């Protein structure tokens, strides 16, 4: 999506060949108008699919997932990082290795909120090595739900997480695909 | 707001006199239509105020803040729990004592995203003892920003967090105010 690529070029900050900071519009500060444009594009792409829920992962996926859910008239379920004493034990879970923070953590979704009746669209802001998206797929499949596909705002294509999932048959629709970044701050799109 | 009170009565689960679980519509699973109704109500309440940004706190505030931001045409900034290696040191920070998890943690907002030019509406899903909202106010005031007020979906009035902030002069607009809950699952609204 041209609008998103242009915004990344304008406001994204390349901190290294691997780290792109989009804190000023896609996480930390959220440009809700831009999120709406992403949502409309996913609505166009997945228009003919039967979707009952949107599933994402805290925290940075929640905003873009909620905006997108308005176009599909479905609820959002977000996977939580395990840390609360306020949850029942009755949940699906798996582990994620965070690319940004370099550590593993457990994510969960209550068994009350996804089931084999669901056809799920996954939404997230970023995909790099694919660990978070893979965890969401694992959890949905534990529930017996159908994974229709995934809408991702920014794919770092060279880190191959999305491509590995595509090879396994999943439909991953990224709106901006980065082919490479360099130390001079240059970003090349696919 | 009648709609929210009715939904709390229907789908909220009272786990103890202090703990109300609204995981099926307000956090974990999000009813985006309901969030839109809350947003419209805050738009009505704060219509005549000059607002430049909505500020919230991860994770459960993000969805409702993004939906609300659409009605004010402003960006959302969410305070992050401190844990990443991917952030600059250039941020405002303070600590929050989590009522749910019973522990203190540091929250931050980058100095790039709020300033003395901002008039801020705070949005969150819940207020109990007020620690999270108080932290957001502290951070906004560190930045010299004007805090216009706060929109909260559910206030546990008897825990007094909102009232203490009102006594300090802040405008806190809660859409459902709970006066008491008991072990039989009964909820009384103010």
């Amino acid at each position: 999506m041209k609008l998103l690529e242009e915004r990344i070029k304008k406001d994204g900050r390349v901190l290294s060949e691997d780290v792109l900071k989009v804190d000023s519009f896609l996480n930390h500060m959220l440009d809700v108008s831009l999120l709406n444009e992403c949502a409309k594009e996913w609505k166009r792409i997945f228009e003919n699919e039967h979707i009952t829920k949107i599933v994402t992962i805290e925290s940075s996926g929640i905003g873009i997932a909620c905006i997108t859910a308005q176009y599909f008239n479905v609820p959002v379920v977000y996977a939580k990082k395990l840390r609360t004493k306020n949850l029942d034990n009755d949940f699906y879970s798996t582990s994620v290795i965070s690319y940004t923070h370099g550590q593993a953590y457990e994510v969960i979704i209550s068994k009350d909120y996804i089931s084999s009746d669901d056809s799920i669209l996954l939404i997230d802001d970023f995909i790099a090595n694919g660990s978070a998206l893979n965890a969401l797929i694992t959890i949905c499949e534990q529930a017996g739900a159908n994974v229709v596909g995934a809408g991702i705002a920014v794919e770092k294509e060279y880190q191959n997480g999305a491509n590995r999932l595509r090879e396994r048959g999943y439909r991953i629709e990224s709106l901006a695909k980065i082919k490479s970044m360099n130390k001079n701050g240059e970003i090349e799109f696919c």
Side-chain angles (χ1 to χ4, degrees), chain A residues 14-138:
Chain A
V14 181
L15 298 191
S16 71
E17 289 178 28
D18 278 351
V19 179
L20 171 67
K21 207 169 157 179
V22 290
D23 271 19
S24 67
F25 56 100
L26 205 52
N27 49 54
H28 201 15
M29 184 154 75
L30 305 173
D31 178 341
V32 178
S33 314
L34 180 68
L35 302 190
N36 263 290
E37 295 306 315
C38 295
K40 284 180 204 167
E41 185 66 8
W42 288 317
K43 175 65 182 173
R44 193 187 62 71
I45 291 170
F46 291 103
E47 186 149 37
N48 296 322
E49 301 288 344
H50 172 63
I51 289 163
T52 62
K53 272 172 199 151
I54 284 178
V55 170
T56 188
I57 186 165
E58 68 175 354
S59 292
S60 59
I62 297 173
I64 195 163
C66 284
I67 297 298
T68 304
Q70 295 174 308
Y71 293 86
F72 291 91
N73 292 310
V74 296
V76 168
V77 178
Y78 64 88
K80 294 186 172 198
K81 291 167 190 170
L82 187 57
R83 57 169 173 245
T84 177
K85 66 178 187 191
N86 203 10
L87 276 161
D88 304 325
N89 285 325
D90 214 19
F91 46 71
Y92 302 109
S93 73
T94 190
S95 61
V96 176
I97 297 154
S98 165
Y99 178 75
T100 319
H101 311 110
Q103 59 195 42
Y105 56 92
E106 203 71 11
V107 292
I108 58 165
I109 291 183
S110 164
K111 289 185 180 174
D112 292 338
Y113 304 138
I114 49 172
S115 78
S116 57
D117 294 333
D118 282 315
S119 286
I120 288 174
L121 175 61
L122 304 169
I123 294 286
D124 209 356
D125 59 335
F126 243 95
I127 188 165
N129 64 21
S131 183
L133 193 62
N134 194 43
L136 292 181
I137 290 171
T138 300

Side-chain angles (χ1 to χ4, degrees), chain A residues 2-20:
Chain A
K2 208 73 199 160
L3 185 74
L4 183 59
E5 289 184 4
E6 280 166 7
R7 188 61 175 274
I8 292 166
K9 276 191 178 162
K10 181 171 161 280
D11 290 330
R13 283 196 291 150
V14 181
L15 298 191
S16 71
E17 289 178 28
D18 278 351
V19 179
L20 171 67

